């Protein structure tokens, strides 16, 4: 095995995990990152508590990745949630399982974990080149980079790319890699926002409750359902339950250009119970007051219910109609908010163009990992888990390819 450096482009979770895997195998690594520092999106992910992975049974865990390549599923099996927990502990950052099954570092922040990780990588000999934006290849096959001092080239060498999707582009991942990689002939599914808010054409009335939460709801569309919470915004809705429905909404919008999301505001109430309580309510109370008491709804839920009732022309006094609306309020979805607000990206480089070593078949010596590949998953730890696992798997594939060569 030669001592020539292996190259990584992209300093997010997948790229850093790949670097550590290669360094542990005794290979020198040079990492190139377009931003002034590493792990910027990783730090953003930890602003509300860094959700690293999830503690649910692995067989169920793997179902969160719909229509994905066996390569990714095998990578997660080889580096499952427990492995991430041990890895964190080795960095001096123990983890805990929250009440929802999500796994967090005890510090509940990304910065201590990232600092410890970068210190360890530096000690292992990682060479980092910041402010290097990858532009593609020249005719000789050398890598082209834009730097503050102008364009430079780096001699061709085995290269692992972990360039991310296109969400939160100000943090470094803008999808610019699609041009050079697509020019090779590698299939790329268009990048779309995922785990992102939806756009709804509200009446002016809804502006009064913008920022208010919808708690303990269930959202449904096309046979898919997810429990959770949401927040009403001026543009529509966002939050965990909405993000979980991203894939189902994307399919519906692709087919019909519009979609209707049903929101169950009281999944613990049967419609007939609500209808009975409406009929038995105090006659001197206003209809809105009777409805609020009968269904036990908070102000934000009442606002959404009235919005949907007005939209479909449901008359006050229709006990069964309003009771049914509580359990299935139809919200017409016009589309998603933009990539600049998305937590993650759907689409990307096709797995079909990779071999078992995660190498691009059209360009031997080029390996891909992380969110730039065509997979999608909800929030809850599944995104970071796949980035860590795929970075490790692609690095191991790189090592196998080098040994075979």
């Amino acid at each position: 095995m030669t001592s020539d450096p292996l190259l990584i482009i992209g300093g997010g979770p997948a790229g850093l995990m790949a670097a550590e895997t290669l360094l542990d195998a005794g290979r020198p690594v040079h990492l190139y990152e377009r931003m002034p520092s590493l792990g910027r999106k990783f730090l953003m992910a930890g602003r509300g508590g860094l959700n690293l992975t999830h503690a649910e049974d692995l067989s169920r865990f793997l179902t969160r990745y719909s229509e994905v390549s066996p390569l990714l599923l095998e990578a997660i099996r080889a580096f499952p949630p427990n492995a991430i927990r041990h890895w964190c502990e080795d960095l001096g950052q123990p983890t805990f399982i929250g009440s929802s099954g999500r796994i967090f570092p005890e510090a509940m922040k990304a910065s201590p974990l990232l600092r410890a990780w970068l210190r360890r990588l530096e000690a292992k000999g990682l060479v980092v080149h910041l402010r290097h934006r990858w532009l593609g290849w020249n005719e000789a096959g050398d890598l082209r980079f834009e730097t503050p001092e102008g364009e430079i080239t780096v001699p061709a060498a085995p290269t692992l790319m972990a360039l991310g999707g296109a969400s939160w582009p100000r943090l470094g991942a803008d999808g610019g890699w699609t041009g050079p990689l697509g020019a090779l002939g590698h299939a790329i599914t268009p990048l779309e926002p995922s785990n992102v808010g939806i756009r709804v054409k509200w009446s002016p009335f809804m502006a009064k409750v913008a920022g208010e939460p919808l708690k303990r709801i269930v959202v449904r569309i096309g046979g898919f359902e997810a429990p959770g919470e949401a927040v009403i915004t001026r543009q529509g809705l966002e939050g965990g339950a909405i993000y979980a429905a991203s894939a189902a909404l994307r399919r519906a919008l692709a087919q019909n250009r519009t979609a209707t999301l049903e929101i169950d505001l009281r999944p613990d109430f049967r419609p007939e119970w609500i209808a009975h309580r409406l009929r038995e309510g105090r006659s001197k109370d206003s209809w809105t007051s009777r409805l609020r008491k009968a269904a036990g709804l908070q102000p934000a839920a009442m606002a959404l219910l009235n919005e949907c009732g007005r939209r479909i022309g449901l008359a006050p006094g229709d006990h069964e109609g309003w009771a049914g609306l509580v359990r299935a309020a139809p919200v017409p979805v016009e589309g998603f908010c933009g990539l600049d607000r998305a937590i993650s990206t759907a689409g990307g480089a096709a797995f079909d163009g990779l071999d078992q070593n995660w190498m691009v078949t059209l360009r031997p010596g080029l390996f891909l990992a992380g969110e730039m590949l065509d997979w999608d998953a909800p929030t809850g730890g599944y995104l970071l888990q796949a980035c860590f696992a795929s970075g490790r798997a692609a690095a191991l594939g790189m090592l196998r390819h080098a040994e075979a060569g």
Side-chain angles (χ1 to χ4, degrees):
M1 188 177 292
T2 69
S3 60
D4 293 336
L6 300 175
L7 310 183
I8 293 176
I9 306 178
L16 293 175
M17 186 60 74
E20 184 158 31
T21 304
L22 296 173
L23 290 166
D24 286 344
R27 296 301 303 263
V29 178
H30 283 231
L31 186 148
Y32 296 82
E33 165 61 41
R34 64 169 290 196
M35 301 301 287
S37 59
L38 300 174
R40 290 203 166 194
K41 191 175 177 184
F42 186 67
L43 290 173
M44 175 65 78
R47 287 182 63 181
L50 182 64
N51 183 193
L52 290 163
T53 184
H54 202 287
E56 68 186 344
D57 180 79
L58 187 60
S59 60
R60 180 168 176 78
F61 188 104
L62 294 175
T63 66
R64 307 300 186 180
Y65 304 89
S66 59
E67 302 176 9
V68 74
S69 167
L71 267 183
L72 181 61
L73 300 183
E74 185 55 38
I76 296 171
R77 290 189 187 98
F79 194 67
N82 278 342
I84 289 180
R85 298 193 72 186
H86 291 313
W87 172 78
C88 287
E89 288 169 5
D90 287 344
L91 284 169
Q93 300 294 317
T95 60
F96 72 96
I97 301 173
S99 58
S100 64
R102 299 183 180 200
I103 295 174
F104 302 88
E106 288 183 0
M108 286 297 288
K109 295 179 181 179
S111 51
L113 176 59
L114 182 61
R115 284 196 299 268
W117 194 8
L118 294 180
R119 284 196 299 269
R120 185 160 78 181
L121 290 172
E122 181 182 9
K124 291 180 178 183
L126 178 64
V127 179
V128 177
H129 305 268
L130 300 174
R131 295 185 174 90
H132 280 61
R133 178 189 177 93
W134 179 66
L135 301 175
W137 299 272
N138 63 16
E139 292 183 0
D142 298 330
L143 296 158
R144 298 170 53 223
F145 290 95
E146 178 185 82
T147 77
E149 289 74 38
E151 183 173 327
I152 67 167
T153 59
V154 174
T159 302
L160 189 153
M161 291 186 177
L163 289 164
S167 59
W168 289 99
R170 65 183 179 84
L171 301 178
D174 62 0
W177 54 265
T178 57
L181 189 61
L184 290 179
H186 191 99
I188 298 173
T189 302
L191 300 175
E192 298 182 86
S194 186
N195 292 298
V196 66
I198 55 175
R199 292 185 290 106
V200 182
K201 191 175 182 179
W202 297 130
S203 69
F205 169 79
M206 291 296 286
K208 299 177 182 178
V209 290
E212 293 296 319
L214 298 168
K215 297 184 177 181
R216 295 182 295 279
I217 62 173
V218 173
V219 300
R220 301 185 180 98
I221 180 170
F224 172 86
E225 72 172 42
E229 298 188 358
V231 175
I232 297 170
T233 69
R234 291 182 179 274
Q235 293 77 33
L237 292 164
E238 61 181 39
I242 305 302
Y243 303 156
S246 289
L249 279 167
R250 191 161 46 249
R251 288 193 293 269
L253 289 166
Q255 291 173 1
N256 307 312
R257 296 188 179 180
T258 60
T260 299
L261 186 71
E262 287 189 349
I263 299 184
D264 188 341
L265 296 167
R266 286 308 304 259
D268 53 338
F269 274 30
R270 292 169 58 181
E272 55 267 33
W273 295 350
I274 301 171
H276 173 75
R277 294 176 71 173
L278 281 170
R279 283 191 293 269
E280 298 299 314
R282 300 197 322 173
S283 58
K284 68 177 184 178
D285 286 347
S286 68
W287 175 252
T288 297
S289 179
R290 290 172 65 183
L291 186 57
R292 176 179 57 78
K293 293 176 182 178
L297 297 176
Q298 297 298 313
M302 275 301 304
L304 178 65
L305 190 66
N306 282 320
E307 174 82 0
C308 294
R310 284 195 298 268
R311 194 187 297 271
I312 65 176
L314 194 60
D318 184 342
H319 304 127
E320 283 72 22
W322 283 96
L325 201 66
V326 171
R327 294 298 312 276
V331 176
V333 180
E334 294 190 321
F336 292 108
C337 297
L339 278 165
D340 60 329
R341 297 292 300 172
I343 293 174
S344 62
T345 306
F351 278 93
D352 287 348
L354 304 182
D355 68 10
Q356 291 301 306
N357 287 328
W358 297 70
M359 185 174 73
V360 175
T361 56
L362 293 173
R363 194 176 188 94
L366 176 64
F367 302 79
L368 306 183
E371 198 181 343
M372 68 183 294
L373 286 162
D374 187 6
W375 58 272
D376 188 24
T379 58
Y382 310 104
L383 298 168
L384 277 175
Q385 172 73 55
C387 287
F388 288 134
S390 66
R392 176 180 178 273
L396 292 173
M398 194 181 225
L399 292 170
R400 287 193 299 269
H401 177 74
E403 290 171 358

